[in-house]
Structure formats: C-alpha cells, structure tokens
C-alpha cells in the first residue's frame, strides 16, 4: 500500500518536519534496528531518538542501510542534562553513533532544577548549533514559563518543545500557548492514555473501520500536533503511519477532546 501524504510544519529557523514521526524509546539493539528500518521502508521520514535511549547507533545503522538520502529524513536526538558543560562533546558522540554530520533537531531532554545551570545548558546549545552540528535546537518537557525564561535570558526561543500529549491530558491552551510563542508543539507518548481500549476510541475506530491507535494519531494531526508513536511491531508501525490518511469528523474530534477534563472545562478550541 502506498504511504499516505504526511503533513509537515516549518520550524521558526526554516527547517521542515513531518508532523508524524517514529518514536524509538525502549527499542534497543537489533529490535531498534529492525523497527527503524521497517519504519523507513513503510514511509516514515522523521525519527525521534535520544542519548538516554541507548539506541542511536542502531537508529543510524538503519538510516544508512535504508538507502534513503540523508536530507529526506528528519532526525531528532536529545541531550541528557546530567552532563552539563559537556554539550558539544556529547552531541559530537551522538552524531558519531548516528553516523550523520548534523542532527535536524537537538533537544534538551528535560529542564534542570537550578535556573542558572538550566540557562547555561541552553547557552551551550545555542553555541553548538551555531557551529553547525544541529540545524535546529529546542527543549522537551518544559512548561511555557520556562520557554519564556530561556528566551528572555538569551533572546532565543526554543524552536520546538516536546511534551507528553494524549487525549486524556489534552489541554487546548497548551498548543495555543506554543503557537503564540512561535514554538512547534510536539507530543510524545501519544498512545498511553486513556488506553487504546477506551470505549470512545474503540467506537470511533469501529465507525471508520480502523483501530484506536490510528484514531488517536489522526486526532493529534487534526489538531496540528506533531506526533511520534513508537512500536516494535511491523504491522503497528505501518498501520500507525497510515493514520495520516484517516479523516475524523468534527464530532469525533470533540468526543476525543472530552476525554480530558481540561477540555471539558474549556470551550472547544
Ligand atoms: N521527550 C521525552 O521525555 C519523551 C518521553 C517519552 C517518550 N518520548 C518519545 O515519544 C515516543 C512515543 O512515546 P512512547 O514510546 O512512550 O509511547 P507510545 O508511542 O505512546 O506508545 C507505545 C506503546 O503503544 C503500543 N502500540 C503502538 N502502536 C500500536 C498499535 N497500532 N496498536 C496497539 N498498540 C500499539 C506499543 O506496543 P508495540 O511496540 O507492541 O506496538 C507500545 O507499547 C517515544 O518512543 C520517544 O521517541 C519522549
């Protein structure tokens, strides 16, 4: 089956990222290699890894063996801040493991408690990106106030914030707060809550002749939220990608929105 067209968004610095990517958390060694290779062959052009996942080498090997030109795949990795002061060297090692010369997006994996240290890491991120090893830099798991603190101190707003997002915790104000700041909102762990067996998801899936994972992924895309589901199973990897071809009705979207208490309190976004 031909892969569907995957929508994209443009980062503030001009990079273009597919809104549906492949997550690789908990995939290690040959499992990671096989899953990523299958994902690329199925049509994914966006891979999400991290220094902490211990799979950058396998991801890079799959990318190389896929034969897909490097510039056609958007690659993200993340820096674990328990090594402050070693940002440049750490990214150099990530690139070495990935077998690439530049990462498309480099994220601070989580905020540091000490604001001074946190800011120092962001400063180093900006300097390292300036040197060309990362085409874009951003953060992960940051509340909007921390985005503002980084921007106020350095004049540079992160291009992306990767935050946990699923129908059960959807907060309509959060993507809007990112849009206002010009920050691309990426959702991680999309399939975990409220669980793929939730009756609203299974009912909508049945109405469309599909499965609940596709419904959840299509719901993210309908909100313009970048989504990076992970799977180690070839059939799930392919089916999740084909969620980009699923069109939910406005009523489906509202029903899924209302799985979150935040949406029930806020007028429809
Ligand atoms: N920035 C951060 O702090 C952070 C934190 C967590 C995650 N992430 C990123 O976000 C990605 C996704 O999050 P995640 O890995 O936590 O969880 P997820 O993608 O929400 O869910 C993965 C789980 O869903 C199952 N699954 C996938 N497709 C399915 C399908 N079609 N039908 C039924 N079950 C399906 C997978 O099992 P199978 O493998 O058996 O299919 C796996 O157990 C990660 O891989 C990582 O790249 C980032």
């Amino acid at each position: 089956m031909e892969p569907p067209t995957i929508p994209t968004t443009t980062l503030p610095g001009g990079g273009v990222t597919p809104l549906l990517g492949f997550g690789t958390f908990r995939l290690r060694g040959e499992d990671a290699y096989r899953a990523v290779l299958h994902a690329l062959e199925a049509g994914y052009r966006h891979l999400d890894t991290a220094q902490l996942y211990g799979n950058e080498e396998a991801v890079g090997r799959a990318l190389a063996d896929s034969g897909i030109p490097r510039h056609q795949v958007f690659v993200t990795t993340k820096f674990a801040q328990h090594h402050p002061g070693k940002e440049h060297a750490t990214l150099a090692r990530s690139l070495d493991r990935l077998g690439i010369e530049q990462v498309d997006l480099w994220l601070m994996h989580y905020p540091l408690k000490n604001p001074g240290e946190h800011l120092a890491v962001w400063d180093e991120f900006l300097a390292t990106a300036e040197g060309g090893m990362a085409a874009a830099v951003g953060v992960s798991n940051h509340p909007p106030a921390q985005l503002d603190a980084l921007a106020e101190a350095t004049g540079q707003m992160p291009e992306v914030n990767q935050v946990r997002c699923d129908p059960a915790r959807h907060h309509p104000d959060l993507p809007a707060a990112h849009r206002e700041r010009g920050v691309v909102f990426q959702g991680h762990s999309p399939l975990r809550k409220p669980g793929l067996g939730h009756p609203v998801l299974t009912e909508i899936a049945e109405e469309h002749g599909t499965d609940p994972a596709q419904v959840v992924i299509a719901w993210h895309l309908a909100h313009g939220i970048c989504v990076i589901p992970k799977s180690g199973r070839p059939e799930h990897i392919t089916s999740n990608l084909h969620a980009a071809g699923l069109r939910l009705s406005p009523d489906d979207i509202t029903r899924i929105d209302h799985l979150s208490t935040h949406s029930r309190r806020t007028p429809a976004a």
Side-chain angles (χ1 to χ4, degrees):
M1 207 196 309
E2 278 293 302
T5 302
I6 308 295
T8 59
T9 194
T10 303
L11 305 184
V16 176
T17 182
L19 281 180
L20 173 52
F22 185 64
T24 65
F25 181 39
R26 295 204 176 92
L27 287 169
R28 304 291 286 262
E30 287 312 292
D31 288 345
Y33 172 80
R34 277 192 293 272
V36 173
L37 190 58
H38 182 81
L40 291 167
E41 285 167 352
Y44 289 82
R45 292 295 179 265
H46 172 175
L47 304 173
D48 183 83
T49 181
Q51 181 194 348
L52 282 181
Y53 300 170
N55 62 15
E56 288 172 317
E57 184 276 333
V59 170
R61 201 154 38 87
L63 178 60
D65 289 354
S66 74
I68 297 165
R70 166 69 189 95
H71 71 272
Q72 290 182 14
V73 184
F74 188 92
V75 180
T76 300
T77 195
K78 314 185 192 82
F79 172 70
Q81 281 93 276
H82 47 253
H83 298 300
K86 298 197 174 141
E87 293 79 4
H88 187 91
T90 304
L91 180 56
R93 278 199 297 278
S94 284
L95 292 177
D96 198 39
R97 284 190 291 265
L98 285 162
I100 58 180
E101 292 186 356
Q102 184 188 57
V103 75
D104 298 284
L105 177 63
W106 191 35
L107 301 178
M108 277 173 70
H109 208 142
Y110 42 82
L112 284 170
K113 287 204 177 69
N114 179 314
E117 281 179 11
H118 186 226
L119 193 55
V121 173
W122 183 237
D123 261 333
E124 283 305 315
F125 254 58
L126 296 174
T128 304
E130 192 73 15
M133 293 200 301
V137 283
V139 297
S140 177
N141 302 311
H142 279 52
Q146 273 179 320
L147 301 176
D148 292 341
L150 295 178
E152 274 160 30
T154 62
Q156 291 285 326
M157 186 60 95
E159 292 196 42
V160 171
N161 188 17
Q162 187 183 108
V163 181
R164 186 159 182 179
C165 176
D166 59 49
R169 70 180 63 219
H170 175 58
H171 199 311
D173 293 347
L174 202 55
H178 285 73
R179 269 194 302 277
E180 279 162 21
R181 289 165 173 79
V183 177
V184 171
F185 182 78
Q186 276 191 346
H188 71 67
S189 310
L191 304 177
R192 296 195 175 275
K193 299 280 178 181
L196 297 176
H198 191 286
V200 168
L201 301 176
T202 54
E203 269 170 37
I204 295 172
E206 206 166 302
E207 284 159 21
H208 288 273
T210 182
D211 65 37
Q214 279 204 351
V215 169
V216 171
I217 295 164
W219 170 83
H220 281 78
L221 295 176
H223 280 300
I225 298 171
C226 183
V227 58
I228 47 171
K230 167 264 169 188
S231 175
R233 293 172 196 259
E235 67 276 20
H236 287 170
I237 295 171
T238 303
S239 160
N240 292 349
L241 184 76
H242 283 263
L246 172 61
R247 293 285 166 268
L248 298 174
S249 70
D251 181 54
D252 295 333
I253 295 168
T254 304
R255 285 171 71 200
I256 301 169
D257 286 349
H258 284 184
L259 295 177
S260 154
T261 51
H262 301 301
S263 298
R264 288 199 290 271
R265 279 193 220 108
T266 313

